[in-house]
Amino acid sequence: MEDETKTKEDETKTKEDEIAILNEYLDDWKKKKEWKEGLRAQNTDCKSRPEENDLRKLDSSLKKNTAFIRKLKNYTDSQRPGICKEIKTLNLTKYIGEVTSALLEAKYKMNDLPGVVEVSSLLHQTYSDFSSSFLEAWTRILSFSKKDTSFPNPNKLRVDIRLYAELISTGVFTLKEGLPLLGNILTSLVHMDKETHAHISIILSFCKHCGSDYADLVPRKIRILSDKYTYELSTSNLLPLGKQKKCEADA
């Protein structure tokens, strides 16, 4: 009798723990989805960009703008509030190229990326030529030829690909602008790595952090638990269903 009682208690505890894991995952996914959708809406509708006359009233001094660009090169997430505040006080019109280069030179950690996306979004919402300049810079660092057999800095590439994918999913780059380059770099990773699998960690990192956006990928454990307890998993509305299915098949 005691054994049966203990077994039931264990089963109840297991169920509670598993449901807690599911709820934690779903809550986290919901917050991230709402954050991205909010930014995407703001980045898609940039009708309230400052007029040229308004920008002229801001500080365009070489000293202040150079100092700002230096901060971008040495970005840490603790600097994000100050950087966002400075964007609203500086006239960076003549320095957009330097700004985009600085954003790509910085050595980010994964937990820096949401802040970098917010900084990039604010710049995009302020300067109409920011995204085109930024995309050109990304194209330079993420373009590889078929003759390449390896990448110079896999650890940085792992972070770069996630950041670039987040910039697409939040609307700094449109799908039409951003997806071709993302597809090319992921395809290159797979094709040059068929035998050694040296870059599989980069692909897995992309699937872990961005797979839910681009292919509705869900961790296997979460999928099993959702089926077990008949939980409905949220889906992404970033890509049309056809493109999403293609990404899922490729993944």
Side-chain angles (χ1 to χ4, degrees):
M1 189 69 176
E2 290 182 2
D3 290 342
E4 290 181 6
T5 301
K6 187 176 185 309
T7 299
K8 288 182 179 180
E9 289 176 350
D10 290 344
E11 290 175 350
T12 300
K13 180 68 165 57
T14 298
K15 181 178 180 179
E16 290 174 350
D17 290 345
E18 289 178 339
I19 289 177
I21 291 171
L22 263 176
N23 286 330
E24 182 179 3
Y25 174 85
L26 292 173
D27 288 345
D28 185 56
W29 163 239
K30 182 180 179 182
K31 290 176 183 177
K32 289 179 180 177
K33 184 180 180 183
E34 289 176 349
W35 174 73
K36 290 180 182 180
E37 288 179 347
L39 276 181
R40 189 158 69 244
Q42 295 173 36
N43 288 330
T44 301
D45 183 15
C46 293
K47 296 178 181 178
S48 59
R49 280 194 178 109
E51 298 290 338
E52 188 174 338
N53 288 336
D54 295 324
L55 291 173
R56 285 176 180 170
K57 298 175 184 177
L58 303 178
D59 193 335
S60 60
S61 66
L62 178 62
K63 181 179 180 181
K64 288 287 184 67
N65 282 276
T66 301
F68 174 78
I69 291 168
R70 192 180 303 116
K71 288 180 182 178
L72 292 181
K73 289 181 180 180
N74 298 286
Y75 180 92
T76 60
D77 196 52
S78 62
Q79 295 175 299
R80 177 178 52 84
I83 286 175
C84 289
K85 185 177 180 180
E86 283 192 70
I87 290 173
K88 297 177 181 180
T89 64
L90 297 175
N91 180 0
L92 295 160
T93 303
K94 296 180 180 179
Y95 305 93
I96 293 300
E98 288 88 342
V99 167
T100 56
S101 295
L103 285 168
L104 290 180
E105 287 178 28
K107 297 178 181 179
Y108 303 118
K109 297 177 181 178
M110 283 294 189
N111 58 9
D112 290 329
L113 300 191
V116 180
V117 170
E118 291 186 3
V119 168
S120 301
S121 295
L122 184 55
L123 287 164
H124 168 67
Q125 293 163 25
T126 306
Y127 300 95
S128 60
D129 58 340
F130 171 78
S131 62
S132 59
S133 177
F134 206 17
L135 185 60
E136 286 180 13
W138 275 108
T139 301
R140 286 194 296 272
I141 70 166
L142 290 183
S143 294
F144 296 89
S145 72
K146 294 181 179 179
K147 296 180 181 179
D148 292 326
T149 57
S150 63
F151 297 99
N153 191 339
N155 289 331
K156 186 176 187 304
L157 183 61
R158 182 186 299 112
V159 178
D160 283 346
I161 289 176
R162 181 187 171 189
L163 174 56
Y164 181 71
E166 299 277 21
L167 292 169
I168 297 172
S169 64
T170 54
V172 174
F173 304 131
T174 66
L175 296 179
K176 184 177 180 180
E177 292 169 338
L179 283 179
L181 181 60
L182 180 61
N184 286 340
I185 186 63
L186 293 174
T187 300
S188 297
L189 275 168
V190 172
H191 283 304
M192 72 171 57
D193 202 25
K194 288 183 176 180
E195 295 182 2
T196 62
H197 305 299
H199 302 129
I200 193 169
S201 63
I202 300 176
I203 298 293
L204 290 176
S205 176
F206 174 80
C207 291
K208 176 182 178 180
H209 295 290
C210 306
S212 57
D213 287 328
Y214 289 89
D216 269 342
L217 297 183
V218 175
R220 182 174 179 273
K221 182 176 182 179
I222 297 299
R223 181 73 68 185
I224 291 172
L225 291 179
S226 67
D227 291 341
K228 182 177 180 179
Y229 296 109
T230 61
Y231 268 54
E232 184 177 350
L233 297 177
S234 300
T235 57
S236 171
N237 59 2
L238 174 63
L239 297 181
L241 185 59
K243 286 187 177 181
Q244 198 174 91
K245 290 295 183 183
K246 185 178 185 303
C247 289
E248 187 174 357
D250 292 342

